[in-house]
């Protein structure tokens, strides 16, 4: 969703900020803006659409001699995408400019209060109350920083805020509550951003701000305080060792395709140093410090959203089958508002690619005082969720930039399998074969990718249907849900995922020649049952595309089209089937001329509830 970058230092601040915003483009946004301090005046540049438009505005402006700048990419929540609603927002005197991620929940109340005192508002946003409120406190006699703190104390909701003012030209002020913010410490320069990707090109030395902290930054200094106690905080300076600043598409036309093609490497990275098939060992350094606690866990609740929740559902089957651990997956947005009893022997496992999903963060916050062990399966190193959890296992999939999650799903499923095997500790007969198969999987993933042309042809054939059903059983069931999500977000086709066994309980009523089904029908003890479901669909003239295991000739007689995947253990079929589904969704979007990297209405990182 929204992205924030601020810079103070000797480089061209507007260039640093616009480059930072470009690195955050993948998060999804609809407008972009910049406030640049030039001498004693602040230049405001804003545009609807891409950061490239903002870059062009910068090139046309005279910003020479500028000292600092703040910028923002906005994903509309309060008010339509427009220049007026784009950030930065300012006070009426245009002396205090603010960018904001998150939502100010009590903005109406503050707005009314300020309007009663004569303040006028230009935008429909919640954010505009912030510079106006700071202005109010300045006019009450406070200096800029105390006025900022006083304003923060009036706000309810979630925020990462960055302030620039002509009143104190060399200073940036920032604050964080439930929205990420990281300070990059350079040599005679400082950069603040909502995501380390925006600053990694300039410095690897960072401080992750904590909730309730306020920071004042000049080009050479930073000072962090706890807002509630107004006491200085000793910051922990960390090194960004695992973050790759490469954000290009390489030779691929889209990030999504590039990321799908990274599947074999993703599998290698997720298992590297962790799987030792010869010795029959799974080593998970991230769980070592809670190994003893894990022995006393009798229930696991997985919390996640979207694709991560479907990876969690695959994980649920792993935990039950391989670790004998009662497990359930809850959508984070529902978990937060449920009143279920949770005991100390329950562990809560959050799964998140970005590590910044607001609902998943809220789910972890909810159990903060329950004494539950909080675990994470996270891709983004150093992200909020990674830092909130007691222990966890990184996915190591590298930055994922297309809105549609692809390689992250594969890494999440792999890591969840490793956790289940780690808990199983060699007790099941499947332990060794699974470890060996994990080593063979990258080549099998590459074999699936080599069928891209065939899948593309299939996608072109089915691209103009309006509806699609995805069905599967057991491990293939969450995969059906994931296939449907992938297709709908990339191609805007109505798609639903169902447990194949549910067909007769309702969905079969929809089937006719215009309603195709994607059947996940790889070899498994339940294959015959899935084949019966396919028969029932065909009997109602519903077109069927099947994913089947290489060598299954029989299925050709049942399905209209078949995409074969290499033989693998049932537990690992979701990985290979997901690659087929991802390619299918990608090519349908290509056939329809859609921007699958940035689908309409969606953002990569969903940082508001
Ligand atoms: O970053 P997270 O894994 O927490 O994100 C969760 C969902 O927002 C995400 O998986 C979303 O469903 C994807 N766009 C699906 O491709």
């Amino acid at each position: 969703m929204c992205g924030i970058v601020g810079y103070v230092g000797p480089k061209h601040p507007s260039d640093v900020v616009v480059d930072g915003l470009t690195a955050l483009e993948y998060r999804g946004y609809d407008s972009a803006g910049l406030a640049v301090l030039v001498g004693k005046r602040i230049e405001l540049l804003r545009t609807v659409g891409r950061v490239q438009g903002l870059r062009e505005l910068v090139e046309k402006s005279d910003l020479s001699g500028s000292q600092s700048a703040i910028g923002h990419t906005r994903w509309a929540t309060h008010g339509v995408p427009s220049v007026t609603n784009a950030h930065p927002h300012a006070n009426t005197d245009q002396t205090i400019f603010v960018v904001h991620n998150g939502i100010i929940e009590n903005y109406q109340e503050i707005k009314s209060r300020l309007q009663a005192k004569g303040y006028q508002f230009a935008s429909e946003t919640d954010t505009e109350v912030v510079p106006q409120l700071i202005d109010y406190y300045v006019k009450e006699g406070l200096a800029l920083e105390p006025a900022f703190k006083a304003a923060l104390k009036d706000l309810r909701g979630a925020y990462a805020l960055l302030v620039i003012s002509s009143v104190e030209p060399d200073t940036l002020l920032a604050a964080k509550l439930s929205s990420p913010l990281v300070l990059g410490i350079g040599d005679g320069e400082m950069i603040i951003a909502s995501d380390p990707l925006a600053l990694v090109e300039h410095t690897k030395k960072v401080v992750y701000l904590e909730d309730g902290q306020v920071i004042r930054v000049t080009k050479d200094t930073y000072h962090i305080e706890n807002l509630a106690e107004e006491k200085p905080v000793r910051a922990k300076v960390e090194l960004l060792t695992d973050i790759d600043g490469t954000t290009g598409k390489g030779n691929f036309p889209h990030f999504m395709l590039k990321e799908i093609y990274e599947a074999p490497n993703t599998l290698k990275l997720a298992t590297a140093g962790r799987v030792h098939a010869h010795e029959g060992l799974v080593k998970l350094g991230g769980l070592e410090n809670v190994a003893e606690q894990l022995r006393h866990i009798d229930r696991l609740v997985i919390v996640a959203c979207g694709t991560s929740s479907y990876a969690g559902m695959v994980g649920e089957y792993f935990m039950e089958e391989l670790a004998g651990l009662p497990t359930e997956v809850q959508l984070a947005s529902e978990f937060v508002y449920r009143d279920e009893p949770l005991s100390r022997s329950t562990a809560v496992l959050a799964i998140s690619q970005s590590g910044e999903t607001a609902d998943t963060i809220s789910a972890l916050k909810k159990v903060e005082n329950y004494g539950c062990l909080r675990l994470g399966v996270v891709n983004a190193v150093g992200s909020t969720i990674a830092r909130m959890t007691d222990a966890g296992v990184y996915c190591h999939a590298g930055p994922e930039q297309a809105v549609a999650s692809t390689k992250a799903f594969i890494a999440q499923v792999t890591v969840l399998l490793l956790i289940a095997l780690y808990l199983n500790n060699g007790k099941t007969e499947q332990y060794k074969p699974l470890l060996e198969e994990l080593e063979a999987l990258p080549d099998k993933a590459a074999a699936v990718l080599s069928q891209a042309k065939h899948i593309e042809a299939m996608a072109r054939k089915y691209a103009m249907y309006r509806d699609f059903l995805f069905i599967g059983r057991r491990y293939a069931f969450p995969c059906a849900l994931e296939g449907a999500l992938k297709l709908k977000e990339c191609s805007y086709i109505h798609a639903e995922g169902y447990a194949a066994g549910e067909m007769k309980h309702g969905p079969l009523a929809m089937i006719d020649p215009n309603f195709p089904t994607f059947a996940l029908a790889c070899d498994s003890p339940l294959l015959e049952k899935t084949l019966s479901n396919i028969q029932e669909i065909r009997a109602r003239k519903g077109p069927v595309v099947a994913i089947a295991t290489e060598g299954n000739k029989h299925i050709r007689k049942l399905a209209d089209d078949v995409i074969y995947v290499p033989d693998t253990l049932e537990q690992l079929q979701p990985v290979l089937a997901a690659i087929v589904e991802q390619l299918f969704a990608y090519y349908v979007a290509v056939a329809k001329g859609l921007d699958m990297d940035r689908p309409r209405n969606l953002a990569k990182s969903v940082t508001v509830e």
Side-chain angles (χ1 to χ4, degrees), residues 249-254 258:
K249 290 182 204 150
N251 293 326
F252 290 90
H254 299 102
K258 172 178 177 260

Side-chain angles (χ1 to χ4, degrees), residues 11 25 29-30 46 72 84 86 103 211 213 215 266 344 402 417 450 479:
K11 295 175 186 154
E25 276 196 293
Y29 66 100
D30 41 54
R46 294 185 293 183
H72 190 261
T84 319
I103 290 179
D211 277 354
Q213 291 184 342
I215 179 166
T266 301
R344 284 168 147 249
L417 176 61
S450 70
C479 223

Side-chain angles (χ1 to χ4, degrees), residues 32 82 104 165 186 197 234 236 238 300 308 310 319 346 348 355 384 388 421 493 496-497 506-507 555 599:
S82 67
I104 307 297
S165 170
L197 260 186
R234 263 200 40 200
K236 186 170 152 221
E238 299 180 39
L300 182 68
S308 296
Y310 299 142
M319 298 303 162
T346 299
V348 174
T384 304
M388 277 176 88
L421 291 170
I493 292 175
E496 286 190 60
I555 202 154

Side-chain angles (χ1 to χ4, degrees), residues 1 16 49 55 80 84 133 136 145 152 160 243 248 253 259 288 321 326 330 345 433 541:
M1 281 187 159
V16 176
R55 198 182 284 283
V80 293
T84 319
L133 195 56
Y136 167 77
E145 190 177 346
L152 290 174
I243 293 187
E259 288 159 5
E288 287 303 305
E321 188 187 359
Q330 294 201 29
S345 54
K541 301 200 168 30

Side-chain angles (χ1 to χ4, degrees), residues 277-328:
H278 292 311
E279 299 153 59
L281 257 185
V282 174
K283 277 193 189 159
L284 295 176
L287 296 184
E288 287 303 305
N289 66 333
V290 294
E292 183 52 33
Q293 264 169 290
L294 283 171
R295 267 189 269 284
H296 304 288
I297 295 305
D298 59 15
R299 180 179 173 224
L300 182 68
V301 176
I302 294 179
V303 290
C305 304
T307 288
S308 296
S309 74
Y310 299 142
M313 285 174 72
V314 178
E316 180 178 354
Y317 288 84
F318 291 151
M319 298 303 162
E320 290 173 355
E321 188 187 359
L322 304 169
L325 181 61
T327 303
E328 72 195 79

